[in-house]
């Protein structure tokens, strides 16, 4: 071969190589462009982040490793119109810990789901189980895509055997940003934590389809808006004003949890000043059982400074559920709040408690109960809301919890709800404030029930019987039969909890529980 021929071959190879590089860059740029400049500009004008911007906020800078960038629809006519097939997926780090992410790209056919994008998402569901890392959904979708799923062929090829199997091997978190139909709704419902940005709508079907199928004209927010899910269904664990706030709430939620259920949550530094306000509790909680107060103020004092993270704050308000840290350790706090319904426990509060116990037990988070309750809410409405079944669900779940359970009775503790709130041996460590009162029901009600006497008709006899009913109800009476391990000054509450956490740390299993609640339904 002549020298000139060799030079020509080298030039041809270099040109072919350059062409391949250019072709790769062209395809890559097209995928990264998502639904195109115009659609992205419309979103930006409305103050909504696009899918890639959301990922950028969720993950630590420079850690995102994308998988499936060059995936497109299997429908030939849509291949050039479906970059990444509407789902941006990959791995990265959240506060230095590995995590996987599925971000719905609404600029690509409304982020509708096809068999191909479902395959991408399924890969990461399997990955997090194998590797032990959280999975985050950044959700916004119009639902299933047509014609990809049309007809018997489309539906017959669907795989659902393990698609929504949740055994809580690792945490799932979801942020619902806009319309969430189809898999965006299902993944949100299957998550351990769901934050709704204001304006989001999550429902089985869109308002348009509901109108066509039923003839009902429904408002989107009324059908499945963020407010409905925060206050009526309880599906929203938190609510955010903006995309940025929603993503920050996801990051913060994950900070309280382990990466997987085979380890304990990470310890955090104890902020300066934590525990120094203990004496203030006495000025917050009135000794009179009929006076109301906000138990959230008590929680703020007991927990490490700035560490309280409310869960379902707008739902079942007579019961507070919050993640927090005490001594740097993640805990789950369940507390009665007399500001709402006098602290009486209704069906919503029962569901809220059960859901929270499942979360804590699944991820090795000790449970702390702060008790001040008059019992379960009774009446026609309560029974129609299936409160009896919800009460037993709570009792069943509590019996299955294998993480440490600590219960402190602050003021009053009446009736069957005593069992649900850690009494009767259902907690590992128990204490009562020296001013607390325990009985089968509020003594003022008991007089009327047992003796048929009320204060107005026979005040002298009423007071006599009330004195009888009040006997044997003090914290010391409970402690006499070891119903309380300790009777404490209210200001000693944090120290009691810290000591109980040390005593009941499961050293033989490195703090890891048995996860008997791991397959409990994610929504009920």
């Amino acid at each position: 071969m002549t020298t000139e021929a060799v030079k020509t071959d080298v030039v041809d190879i270099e040109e072919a190589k350059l062409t391949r590089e250019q072709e790769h860059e062209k395809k890559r740029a097209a995928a990264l462009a998502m639904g195109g400049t115009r659609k992205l500009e419309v979103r930006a004008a409305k103050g909504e982040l696009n899918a890639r911007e959301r990922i950028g906020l969720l993950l630590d800078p420079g850690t995102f490793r994308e998988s499936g960038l060059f995936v497109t629809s299997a429908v030939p006519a849509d291949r050039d119109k479906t970059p990444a097939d509407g789902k941006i997926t990959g791995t990265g780090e959240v506060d230095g810990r590995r995590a996987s992410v599925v971000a719905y790209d609404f600029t690509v056919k409304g982020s509708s789901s096809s068999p191909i994008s479902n395959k991408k998402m399924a890969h990461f569901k399997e990955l997090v189980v194998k590797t032990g890392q959280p999975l985050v959904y950044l959700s916004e979708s119009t639902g299933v895509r047509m014609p990809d799923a049309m007809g018997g062929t489309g539906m017959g090829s669907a795989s659902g055997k393990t698609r929504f199997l949740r055994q809580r091997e690792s945490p799932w978190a979801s942020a619902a940003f806009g319309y969430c139909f189809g898999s965006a709704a299902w993944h949100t419902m299957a998550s351990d934590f769901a934050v709704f940005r204001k304006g989001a709508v999550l429902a089985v079907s869109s308002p348009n389809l509901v109108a066509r199928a039923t003839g009902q004209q429904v408002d989107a927010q009324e059908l499945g808006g963020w407010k409905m899910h925060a206050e009526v269904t309880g599906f929203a664990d938190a609510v955010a004003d903006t995309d940025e706030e929603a993503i920050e709430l996801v990051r913060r939620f994950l900070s309280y949890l382990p990466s997987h259920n085979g380890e304990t949550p990470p310890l955090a530094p104890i902020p300066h000043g934590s525990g120094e306000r203990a004496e203030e509790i006495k000025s917050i909680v009135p000794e009179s059982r009929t006076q109301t107060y906000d138990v959230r103020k008590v929680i703020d004092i007991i927990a490490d400074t700035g560490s309280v993270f409310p869960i379902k704050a707008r739902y079942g308000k007579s019961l507070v559920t919050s993640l927090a840290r005490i001594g740097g350790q993640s805990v789950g706090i369940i507390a009665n709040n007399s500001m709402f319904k006098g602290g009486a426990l209704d069906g919503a509060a029962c569901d809220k408690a059960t859901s929270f116990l499942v979360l804590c037990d699944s991820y090795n988070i000790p449970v702390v109960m702060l008790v001040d309750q008059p019992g379960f809410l009774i009446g026609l409405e309560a029974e129609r809301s299936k409160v009896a079944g919800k009460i037993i669900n709570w009792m069943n779940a509590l019996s299955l919890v294998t993480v440490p359970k600590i219960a402190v009775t602050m003021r009053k503790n009446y009736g069957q709800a005593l069992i649900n709130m850690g009494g009767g041996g259902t907690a590992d460590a128990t204490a009562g404030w020296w001013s607390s009162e325990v009985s089968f029901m509020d003594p003022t009600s008991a007089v009327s029930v047992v003796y048929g006497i009320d204060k107005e008709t026979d005040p002298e006899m009423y007071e006599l019987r009330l004195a009888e009913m009040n006997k044997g109800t003090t914290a010391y009476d409970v402690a006499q039969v070891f119903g309380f391990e300790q009777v404490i000054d209210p200001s000693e509450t944090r120290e009691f909890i810290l000591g109980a956490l040390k005593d009941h740390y499961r050293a033989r299993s490195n703090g890891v529980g048995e996860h008997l609640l791991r397959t409990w339904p994610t929504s009920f």
Side-chain angles (χ1 to χ4, degrees):
M1 183 179 290
T2 64
T3 302
E4 289 75 12
V6 171
K7 288 180 179 179
T8 300
D9 286 346
V10 170
V11 170
D12 289 343
I13 291 170
E14 288 300 317
E15 287 181 350
K17 181 180 179 182
L18 185 61
T19 301
R20 286 196 296 271
E21 289 174 352
Q22 289 174 330
E23 181 65 18
H24 174 76
E25 237 0 87
K26 180 180 177 182
K27 289 182 178 293
R28 184 173 178 275
L32 293 173
M34 298 182 281
T37 303
R38 185 182 64 80
K39 290 183 179 179
L40 293 173
E41 288 176 348
V42 169
R43 291 183 68 85
K46 293 191 294 184
E48 296 177 354
L49 301 178
N50 64 56
R52 293 190 180 279
E53 289 171 333
R54 289 169 178 166
I55 291 173
L57 282 180
L58 173 71
L59 300 177
D60 299 345
T63 65
F64 182 48
R65 180 175 180 272
E66 187 165 355
S67 178
L69 176 64
F70 298 109
V71 165
T72 64
S73 169
V75 177
D78 281 341
R79 283 177 182 163
D80 294 333
K81 304 174 187 176
T82 51
D85 206 20
K87 307 290 191 299
I88 300 170
T89 55
T91 56
E93 294 181 4
V94 177
D95 290 333
R97 295 191 295 166
R98 298 302 296 176
S100 289
V101 60
V102 173
Y104 287 70
D105 180 6
F106 204 77
T107 67
V108 176
K109 291 188 175 292
S111 195
S112 50
S113 295
S114 74
I116 304 301
S117 64
N118 283 338
K119 184 178 180 181
K120 283 177 68 173
M121 292 191 290
H123 170 78
F124 286 92
K125 293 175 192 174
E126 295 169 3
L127 177 70
V128 298
V129 172
K130 293 175 184 175
T131 60
Q133 56 182 271
L135 177 58
V136 177
Y137 290 96
L138 304 176
S139 301
E140 186 178 16
S141 174
T142 54
V144 70
R145 186 187 307 156
M146 306 300 180
D148 301 59
M150 285 290 288
T153 303
M155 295 303 292
S157 61
S159 175
K161 186 176 181 181
T162 59
R163 186 177 170 193
F164 295 103
L165 175 66
R166 281 307 320 274
Q167 297 193 83
R168 295 180 175 88
E169 296 94 344
S170 61
W172 283 18
S174 178
F177 293 104
Y179 285 128
C180 290
F181 308 126
S183 67
W186 314 143
H187 290 142
T188 302
M189 291 298 93
S191 292
D192 301 297
F193 176 76
V195 55
F196 282 60
R197 190 202 67 199
K198 289 182 179 178
V201 175
L202 183 149
V204 174
S205 297
S206 68
N208 184 45
L209 184 56
V210 170
R212 290 177 179 274
T214 69
Q216 293 178 304
Q217 296 297 324
V218 293
D219 175 76
Q221 288 297 320
E222 183 183 5
L223 179 68
W226 66 270
K227 193 170 185 179
M228 196 267 281
H229 289 307
E231 299 176 2
V232 180
T233 67
F235 291 153
D237 293 301
V239 173
D241 290 319
T242 63
D243 286 19
E244 291 86 348
E245 184 186 358
I247 292 168
E248 179 55 33
L249 285 168
V250 169
R251 285 178 60 92
R252 192 172 173 204
F253 169 77
L254 293 176
S255 74
Y256 293 88
L257 271 70
S259 294
H260 56 83
N261 68 0
E263 64 182 16
T264 54
L267 289 172
I270 303 172
H272 177 72
S274 296
E276 293 181 0
R277 297 169 55 211
E279 285 293 333
E280 293 180 31
I281 292 177
K282 296 176 184 177
S283 64
I284 293 171
V285 183
E287 283 202 22
S288 171
R289 62 175 178 260
T290 60
Q291 287 183 264
T292 62
Y293 65 96
D294 193 341
V295 77
R296 291 170 293 190
K297 294 179 181 179
V298 177
I299 294 171
D300 284 339
I301 290 172
I302 292 170
D304 293 354
T305 302
S307 73
V308 179
F309 186 80
I311 300 291
K312 300 188 191 301
R314 295 170 180 248
Y315 180 71
K317 291 183 178 181
S318 65
L319 192 76
V320 173
T321 51
S322 295
L323 293 171
R325 294 188 182 90
I326 299 180
Q329 181 174 350
S330 290
V331 297
I333 296 178
I334 299 175
N336 307 110
N337 196 350
S338 65
M339 290 284 290
F340 302 95
K341 300 182 179 180
L345 299 163
D346 58 8
C350 291
D351 283 346
K352 183 175 178 177
T354 302
S355 174
F356 193 67
L357 289 171
V358 170
L359 173 71
C360 293
D361 186 69
S362 295
Y363 299 111
N364 311 311
I365 301 171
V367 175
V368 175
M369 296 183 179
L370 301 177
V371 189
D372 184 4
Q373 55 80 22
F376 292 106
L377 197 67
I378 59 175
L380 186 61
E381 183 181 345
E383 299 302 339
R384 287 181 173 177
S385 72
K386 303 187 293 186
V387 70
K390 296 174 186 291
I391 290 168
I392 194 65
N393 272 357
W394 181 352
M395 291 170 59
N396 186 21
L398 185 63
S399 300
L400 291 170
V401 168
T402 58
V403 295
K405 294 167 285 186
I406 301 162
V408 178
T409 296
M410 301 187 297
R411 202 169 57 165
K412 59 185 180 295
N413 201 349
Y414 297 147
Q416 176 61 46
L418 177 144
I419 305 297
N420 294 65
M421 291 299 297
T426 57
D428 300 295
T430 57
W433 287 2
W434 54 29
S435 56
S436 60
E437 179 181 276
V438 178
S439 187
F440 72 98
M441 69 169 59
D442 181 341
T444 58
S445 299
V447 172
S448 298
V449 171
V450 176
Y451 296 106
I453 302 170
D454 59 68
K455 192 172 184 178
E456 288 71 28
T457 57
D458 194 345
E460 186 175 342
M461 183 57 69
Y462 176 86
E463 291 299 330
L464 179 64
R465 295 303 188 187
L466 180 60
E468 292 177 4
M469 287 294 178
N470 275 317
K471 288 180 180 178
T473 62
T474 70
Y476 300 100
D477 292 304
V478 181
Q480 186 174 330
V481 293
F482 204 56
F484 290 153
E485 293 180 41
Q486 296 184 25
V487 177
I488 62 173
D489 181 320
S491 64
E492 296 172 341
T493 304
R494 175 181 165 92
E495 290 306 312
F496 172 80
I497 294 169
L498 283 168
L501 288 171
K502 291 177 182 177
D503 282 350
H504 293 279
Y505 175 74
R506 302 331 197 214
R508 292 167 64 91
S509 61
N510 295 317
V512 175
E514 297 175 43
H515 311 129
L516 302 181
L517 290 169
R518 67 188 182 278
T519 58
W520 196 281
T522 56
S523 303
F524 50 91

